[in-house]
Amino acid sequence: MVIFFTRHAEKADIGTNPPISNAGRARAKVLAHILTDTKLEAVYVTQFLRTQMTGETIAEALDLVDPVHYDAGNPAEVITKARNEFPDGSVLIIGHSNTLDDIANELGIPSVPELEEHQFDRLFAIHIHEHTPHLQRLRYGTPTP
């Protein structure tokens, strides 16, 4: 199994549940392109619009069903769901700057720090082989510090 996880794309500076910005739409398209050959089986998004818009862009580009929602405050839920539904597949989990470390911890990787508010180009992949997780750190799209 491979679990990819990343933060939502750049958000617009409006409201308490902002959509992604034009830069965010462009980043989501780049991510979809990068993941084209990974044979993703599902995209998981939180209850917030910015993750949903990022995930919808990717799901549509890869001809997947609509993203599956999970509670941002419960990373164990999405990990359990992904493992049960796609034990031998690849999935993408879209989270937030302060939840990616929780997702990694749930998968047995304690070395992923919370992202800074301005970091949007980080992509992580955890390859699980014989119950042992292996972390791969990647970057994509326009670089962010």
Side-chain angles (χ1 to χ4, degrees), residues 3-142:
I3 297 178
F4 294 92
F5 58 105
T6 191
R7 179 185 186 190
H8 58 79
E10 286 90 339
K11 60 185 175 181
D13 288 331
I14 54 172
T16 57
N17 187 15
I20 58 176
S21 64
N22 288 337
R25 285 184 192 85
R27 183 174 300 280
K29 288 178 183 178
V30 170
L31 183 56
H33 177 73
I34 288 170
L35 296 174
T36 296
D37 294 329
T38 62
K39 300 182 180 162
L40 281 184
E41 297 186 73
V43 176
Y44 296 90
V45 299
T46 71
Q47 66 269 30
F48 297 100
L49 186 57
R50 54 197 176 271
T51 65
Q52 294 167 17
M53 290 178 71
T54 303
E56 288 166 0
T57 301
I58 295 162
E60 182 179 304
L62 299 180
D63 202 27
L64 297 171
V65 296
D66 291 335
V68 179
H69 290 239
Y70 74 94
D71 178 358
N74 189 355
E77 170 194 21
V78 69
I79 299 304
T80 299
K81 186 179 272 196
R83 283 182 157 166
N84 288 341
E85 293 177 1
F86 306 102
D88 298 318
S90 295
V91 300
L92 171 64
I93 300 171
I94 300 174
H96 303 272
S97 61
N98 63 345
T99 65
L100 297 186
D101 59 324
D102 299 327
I103 292 166
N105 278 328
E106 282 295 324
L107 290 163
I109 304 288
S111 61
V112 173
E114 280 191 16
L115 296 183
E116 299 294 327
E117 184 60 29
H118 58 273
Q119 293 176 315
F120 291 94
D121 65 345
R122 285 15 178 224
L123 173 64
F124 303 92
I126 295 183
H127 303 263
I128 302 171
H129 181 67
E130 295 181 6
H131 305 289
T132 303
H134 302 280
L135 175 66
Q136 183 177 17
R137 297 170 190 261
L138 305 162
R139 293 189 187 207
Y140 71 99
T142 303

